[in-house]
Amino acid sequence: MQDKIQRPLPAFLGQGPKHLFINGRHEPARSGKTFQTINPATGKVLAEVADGGAEDIDLAVRAARRAFEGPWSKWRPAQRQASMLRLADLVDQHYDELAMLDTLDLGNPITRTMANRTRAVALLRYYAGLATSTHGETIQSSAMPHDSLTYTLKEPVGVVGAINPWNGPSGMAIWKLGPVLATGCTLVLKPAEQAPLSPLRLAELCMEAGIPEGVFNVVSGHGEAGAALAEHPGVDKIAFTGSTEVGRKIVRASAGNLKRLSMELGGKSANMVFADANMDLAVPGAAMAVFANSGQVCVAGTRLFVQRPIYDEFMERVADFAKKLRVGDPLDSETQLGPLVSAEQLDRVCGYLQVGMQEGARALTGGARLTEGPLADGFFVPPTVFVDAHDGMRIAREEIFGPVVTALPFDTIEEAIARGNDSEYGLGGGVWTRDLNTAHRVGKGLRTGTVWVNCYNVLDPAVPFGGYKMSGFGRESGNEHIQEYYETKAVMVKLDS
Ligand code: NAP
Ligand code: MG
């Protein structure tokens, strides 16, 4: 495919194979192996990347341990905060490059990756604020004399291993890094094999911000590198974002030294449109709740419950909206939907399109990948809107992670909540209504980590995010997030009497 808009490629791409980042330096994998990261819009190789393995993970964990016990442990909160604010400024300054790397590596359209600048910078500034504002407490202990002193200390949990998926490479790396830097922990990050570039570039910016070597290490590689990190006895906590299936493996692998864990996993979120909703907002809202980033979003509102009186009209309008979305070159600023991330993901999504049709669902639009024209070499799938579906179908139960929505009519609010909750997942949910009672009843009734009312997938660094049930445990963002990077020590002081 010929790029319609010629944008200069980031200099980072032109500097030969991309090496691991361990102890402040780029270095090849010990094995000497590399793998290729692909541009999903063209199917062509974007870069050779070091294929880190268990030995590299071990080196990175040791570097992170040395940094954790070294001068970094003496840095005062205000010093860590200052370095994080410098990093936030550098990320802002170099954001075009990070966004471009993500667009090339993952296929998310450039207007969307560029629009994530605000969040990336805000995340770092938010956690920088927490660096100086989180503290222990004093407690009047009844087990001690009246003039005793009991207090708690918040101490960093230690070396953190982060394992990330590919659907938001730079933003997700920053989300993992923020609480680490704020609390004085250190980090070994294993980015996804499909999109390792921007995290490696972010590590360079950390050095430029004056963050000591060994505090942030990046080991690109495959699942084996992630498994080695999850098992490593020198790692104190694993922060994982990815599929529920791999999440389970990590829980098992981490048992050896009882690592602290947080798990941000998959979802099959219910988005509910009531008959009184503002249709002009709900139509694009419900469509983009699924189709943004070609559906490769963990909270995607893939089960679209629509109240029966408006069902037919609403779904026609969603299908019309979907047909008009511009699928194309992710570097073109007119493009609204890019390709899926990989050939593997393309197969998975096309497999589900087949399953949906075999199950008896009907596609109002979409239903197949693009096989002709200038996009045929990339992994492009236009949006699919399935109707004539029911709750028991696989397309209504399993996470597809593609631009596919399954529409389901409902009658009453009680029914909508019960059916919304009839899922092994519990990540996000949405409700579109003008009725305050409906909004609050659904908000309270859904067993999910987030419920959006008349909006969808709004993320804020101050608002906790995470899953119920098989969507995981632990929260990212907000005060609860930072607590997961601390141990709490109680000190009980009895005075000489
Ligand atoms: P994935 O297959 O679970 O992979 C996630 C990460 O785990 C990758 O870095 C992967 O390495 C690594 N990994 C694979 N096997 C491993 C093992 N045995 N031990 C340790 N690490 C291992 O997920 P994905 O396909 O990249 O991403 C899609 C999934 O992520 C979806 O289920 C989506 O819902 C979920 N997700 C959740 C959130 C959230 O916040 N809840 C956000 C985004 C995505 P490789 O890249 O080499 O396979
Ligand atoms: Mg790629």
Side-chain angles (χ1 to χ4, degrees), residues 449-490:
T450 305
V451 180
W452 288 282
V453 180
N454 295 328
C455 58
Y456 205 87
N457 199 9
V458 181
L459 297 180
D460 182 323
V463 179
F465 176 87
Y468 280 37
K469 302 193 269 182
M470 276 170 43
S471 293
F473 50 83
R475 292 293 176 268
E476 296 196 316
S477 290
N479 189 42
E480 289 186 43
H481 193 189
I482 208 89
Q483 298 302 337
E484 297 189 22
Y485 290 73
Y486 282 126
E487 294 285 10
T488 303
K489 177 185 285 174

Side-chain angles (χ1 to χ4, degrees), residues 164 166-167 190 193 222-223 226 241-243 264-266 298 399 401:
N164 272 353
W166 39 262
N167 59 342
K190 207 301 271 178
E193 69 194 59
H222 291 82
T241 303
S243 62
E264 298 283 3
L265 307 177
C298 52
E399 185 179 47
F401 228 56

Side-chain angles (χ1 to χ4, degrees), residues 87-316:
L87 180 61
D89 289 346
L90 284 166
V91 165
D92 196 9
Q93 215 175 306
H94 294 273
Y95 196 78
D96 289 3
E97 184 190 348
L98 294 173
M100 181 81 159
L101 288 173
D102 283 353
T103 288
L104 290 167
D105 218 359
L106 153 75
N108 198 4
I110 192 76
T111 47
R112 291 189 52 87
T113 54
M114 287 288 187
N116 289 336
R117 175 196 305 269
T118 315
R119 173 167 162 79
V121 175
L123 273 168
L124 284 166
R125 295 201 175 129
Y126 174 78
Y127 289 105
L130 289 182
T132 55
S133 58
T134 311
H135 40 69
E137 57 185 353
T138 59
I139 299 160
Q140 185 110 45
S141 168
S142 298
M144 298 278 277
H146 77 280
D147 58 355
S148 65
L149 173 64
T150 296
Y151 58 93
T152 60
L153 292 173
K154 290 287 176 186
E155 299 188 333
V157 74
V159 174
V160 178
I163 303 171
N164 272 353
W166 39 262
N167 59 342
S170 55
M172 217 137 356
I174 288 171
W175 211 356
K176 293 286 190 285
L177 183 60
V180 162
L181 298 179
T183 53
C185 292
T186 57
L187 183 63
V188 177
L189 170 68
K190 207 301 271 178
E193 69 194 59
Q194 296 88 347
L197 297 174
S198 64
L200 288 164
R201 178 69 182 110
L202 181 67
E204 295 179 347
L205 296 180
C206 282
M207 297 307 291
E208 217 177 311
I211 292 161
E213 58 192 31
V215 171
F216 181 38
N217 309 276
V218 182
V219 179
S220 48
H222 291 82
E224 299 75 48
L229 191 56
E231 267 170 24
H232 200 292
V235 174
D236 300 293
K237 171 183 164 68
I238 292 282
F240 174 67
T241 303
S243 62
T244 297
E245 186 193 342
V246 172
R248 277 204 203 90
K249 289 187 189 165
I250 290 176
V251 170
R252 283 194 288 269
S254 65
N257 67 334
L258 292 179
K259 293 178 180 65
R260 278 79 185 120
L261 292 175
S262 49
M263 294 273 144
E264 298 283 3
L265 307 177
K268 189 76 189 175
S269 299
N271 197 9
M272 300 174 177
V273 183
F274 284 78
D276 71 333
N278 178 337
M279 295 269 248
D280 293 337
L281 291 181
V283 169
M288 292 318 284
V290 192
F291 300 138
N293 202 10
S294 293
Q296 302 166 115
V297 175
C298 52
V299 291
T302 48
R303 288 185 296 150
L304 180 56
F305 289 96
V306 183
Q307 210 163 17
R308 208 170 300 272
I310 60 163
Y311 179 83
D312 288 334
E313 185 197 342
F314 191 82
M315 290 320 303
E316 283 300 333

